[in-house]
Amino acid sequence: MDVRWSVDQLKLVSAVFFAMKFLTTLSRYLPLLSLFIKFFFFGGLMKANGVLLSYTIEQLHSSNAAVAWAYTIQCAVAYLAAPLGTYMLQFFSVRQLGILGGFLTGLGYVCSGIYLESVWQLYIYQAISGLGFSVWTLPNCMYIQANFEGLYARVFAIGAGFIFIGVAVLPLTLQWLIRQYGQAGGKLCFGALLWNCILGGVLMRPTSKSGRLLKDYSFDHIDESEKHFIDRYSLCFSSMIRHPKFAVLAAFVLIQTYVYASWAIYLVTFGEARGLSRQKAVYLSTVAGVGGITGSGIGHILFHLQKMNVYTGCLLPSIVTGVTLGCSILSKDLVILCSLNFWTGLSLGLQYACWVGMLPLLVCNFHVAAAYSSSSVTEGFFYQLGGLTSGLIQDYYGSPEMIFAVCAIASMLVTPLSLIWIFDQPSIRQCYDAE
């Protein structure tokens, strides 16, 4: 009897030990869920805004350019104001910024559902939502860089897949909400759904490593006379000047940001122009999202096999994107359009996985924060450019086919950039010594 009880006790202790070990491991990786939640909603919103585009134009009696620009303001503010998040880390924890950002993200859509009578109100609401993403984008990236240093590329390659899960799911979700509750009620419910981003903020755990990355590799302890003149006068863009290969990669990303913004906003409208009903046109976004998930998965495998380079991550996907966008103009068949957009999504997903995974490998530790800031600012500008110019093209030609033709040409322009960037993963020289 005593022996059996001792064995039972041993089993109980072992079970408790393994349970605690599992929970400890789980708690370490839970903050990754914050990143994935952010990617899911942020990536899918651009496509979801494409669903709202035609509804809003009819409601506000406005031009394509004005409304399309409004729906890219969200991404633009999220990127342009992203350095604000790094500055606010001096006063707030990553968790507090995540909770605040999650609340603002949904607030913009809730306000839009409650009261929207002019395009200027739409600008304000989208800016509020974008500001929500901005205050925790860079802190989130810096947190992952500090606490998952060896897994950074793989984590972001996986995270890129959640962007395209959002692309696949959110447009259908918004379309269903609008059918069930009308345009105003649908946006109100959609905004409430976006408040799940608050959970992403709660999952962020303040750690000493998060602050250490900002402290050890900041310019605060470096004497002004010892700083390179580029670091003194070029603000966050010093990373592009001090590390030329990052500048080439950034130029590649800017072109693809323009392509993605134009493609995402006008894909549903393009499907309608090709003769599809509005409900069937939304399926193009879903299929494109599945392609993006596949591309992100391929990116993860390439990083794992150490095969991610300029050819697999930039050159080949850019050519595929250009060809598929160009061929889309020639077809009106739903199956063919879905197939072509699947490959477009796959290529863009692979490119994004390459971009976010390679960024910290192309700059020194001192310029990581500057690289995030400069890339965010320039990406925000090109998101705006994509929405505005595509809207102007739509207003002038009256057809989204020309938008896709411009995007196809832009994708092909990446080819010479890929040839300039001879990617051999060199060791990065630290510009300064850590304190």
Side-chain angles (χ1 to χ4, degrees), residues 46 49 52-53 56 67-74 122 126 265:
M46 181 68 77
N49 288 339
L52 290 173
L53 182 66
T56 308
V67 177
W69 188 40
Y71 280 127
T72 55
I73 282 179
Q74 180 187 71
L122 184 61
Q126 287 293 299
I265 285 291

Side-chain angles (χ1 to χ4, degrees), residues 110-435:
V110 170
C111 292
S112 180
I114 294 175
Y115 184 73
L116 179 63
E117 291 189 349
S118 74
V119 71
W120 294 104
Q121 291 174 335
L122 184 61
Y123 291 154
I124 295 172
Y125 296 153
Q126 287 293 299
I128 291 173
S129 183
L131 186 64
F133 281 111
S134 71
V135 298
W136 71 312
T137 294
L138 286 185
N140 198 304
C141 292
M142 299 296 290
Y143 179 92
I144 300 300
Q145 169 70 0
N147 293 278
F148 299 91
E149 195 167 350
L151 300 173
Y152 182 89
R154 295 182 191 178
V155 165
F156 272 81
I158 295 172
F162 282 83
I163 289 178
F164 291 94
I165 294 175
V167 168
V169 173
L170 289 186
L172 283 176
T173 302
L174 181 57
Q175 183 70 41
W176 181 82
L177 289 173
I178 290 175
R179 286 204 309 269
Q180 293 294 317
Y181 306 107
Q183 186 178 344
K187 287 190 289 187
L188 189 65
C189 294
F190 192 68
L193 177 65
L194 289 177
W195 272 333
N196 283 287
C197 290
I198 295 175
L199 174 62
V202 173
L203 292 174
M204 298 295 289
R205 293 184 298 110
T207 65
S208 58
K209 289 185 178 180
S210 307
R212 187 206 67 199
L213 185 69
L214 293 173
K215 181 179 178 181
D216 288 358
Y217 297 112
S218 69
F219 294 106
D220 295 339
H221 68 276
I222 300 174
D223 189 82
E224 194 70 22
S225 61
E226 296 178 0
K227 290 183 182 179
H228 195 283
F229 76 94
I230 292 175
D231 293 323
R232 289 201 297 265
Y233 302 115
S234 59
L235 301 177
C236 63
F237 295 99
S238 61
S239 56
M240 294 186 180
I241 302 173
R242 299 294 300 277
H243 302 282
K245 284 195 175 183
F246 169 67
V248 176
L249 179 63
F252 153 76
V253 172
L254 295 183
I255 294 176
Q256 291 310 110
T257 297
Y258 171 87
V259 172
Y260 177 77
S262 302
W263 174 69
I265 285 291
Y266 277 97
L267 182 56
V268 175
T269 304
F270 173 79
E272 294 181 62
R274 303 310 293 167
L276 303 178
S277 65
R278 182 170 292 179
Q279 292 184 1
K280 289 184 177 180
V282 175
Y283 293 148
L284 296 180
S285 290
T286 301
V287 174
V290 174
I293 297 168
T294 306
S296 301
I298 294 173
H300 173 70
I301 294 172
L302 290 174
F303 273 117
H304 180 71
L305 299 176
Q306 297 183 349
K307 298 295 183 181
M308 181 65 80
N309 53 51
V310 64
Y311 306 106
T312 57
C314 298
L315 182 59
L316 182 60
S318 298
I319 294 174
V320 172
T321 301
V323 171
T324 54
L325 287 174
C327 291
S328 296
I329 303 172
L330 306 176
S331 176
K332 293 185 177 182
D333 183 76
L334 175 61
V335 175
I336 294 176
L337 287 174
C338 285
S339 300
L340 291 171
N341 279 281
F342 171 84
W343 284 101
T344 301
L346 186 149
S347 301
L348 292 173
L350 178 57
Q351 288 171 335
Y352 187 82
C354 171
W355 157 237
V356 296
M358 298 315 304
L359 185 150
L361 304 179
L362 295 177
V363 296
C364 71
N365 289 329
F366 284 92
H367 285 104
V368 167
Y372 283 129
S373 299
S374 60
S375 62
S376 296
V377 170
T378 48
E379 278 185 75
F381 175 76
F382 272 76
Y383 266 117
Q384 286 278 268
L385 187 64
L388 179 60
T389 56
S390 297
L392 291 172
I393 292 172
Q394 172 73 7
D395 286 334
Y396 185 80
Y397 290 97
S399 173
E401 283 87 349
M402 185 58 67
I403 298 173
F404 274 51
V406 172
C407 289
I409 295 171
S411 293
M412 291 302 183
L413 291 176
V414 174
T415 303
L417 281 176
S418 301
L419 297 177
I420 292 173
W421 177 31
I422 304 173
F423 186 79
D424 57 359
Q425 296 189 16
S427 57
I428 300 300
R429 179 181 61 84
Q430 297 296 327
C431 295
Y432 303 95
D433 295 326
E435 187 177 20

